[in-house]
Amino acid sequence: MTTVRYFAAAEEAAGLASEQRTESTLDALRVGIVADHAGLAGILPRCAVLVDGCRHDDDVALSGSETIDVLPPFAGG
């Protein structure tokens, strides 16, 4: 299963720090997490979503062993 970790405002919006998911593409994952955590709908488009530490296109296939990080924009420097 793919591990999704939420940080800062994304964690607050999702109501949890991490979860296990089964979607097969990054796009399907985005749709699934918003369906399950409606609070993410407003923030997810502004978040960096990293697959094993790297940005990818939404059509990237997920094998189920990845770690996905959902990072909202951070204020400050």
Side-chain angles (χ1 to χ4, degrees):
M1 295 190 92
T2 298
T3 300
V4 180
R5 302 186 302 183
Y6 302 101
F7 294 88
E11 179 180 349
E12 184 177 325
L16 56 135
S18 67
E19 66 178 322
Q20 300 295 308
R21 304 292 301 198
T22 59
E23 286 85 1
S24 61
T25 67
L26 186 56
D27 186 49
L29 177 80
R30 286 177 180 269
V31 170
I33 63 176
V34 168
D36 291 346
H37 311 291
L40 286 170
I43 193 169
L44 189 61
R46 298 181 311 218
C47 289
V49 178
L50 307 179
V51 178
D52 292 332
C54 298
R55 288 183 184 233
H56 288 278
D57 292 332
D58 281 347
D59 63 351
V60 69
L62 301 176
S63 68
S65 63
E66 297 85 1
T67 298
I68 310 293
D69 293 326
V70 180
L71 305 162
F74 293 94

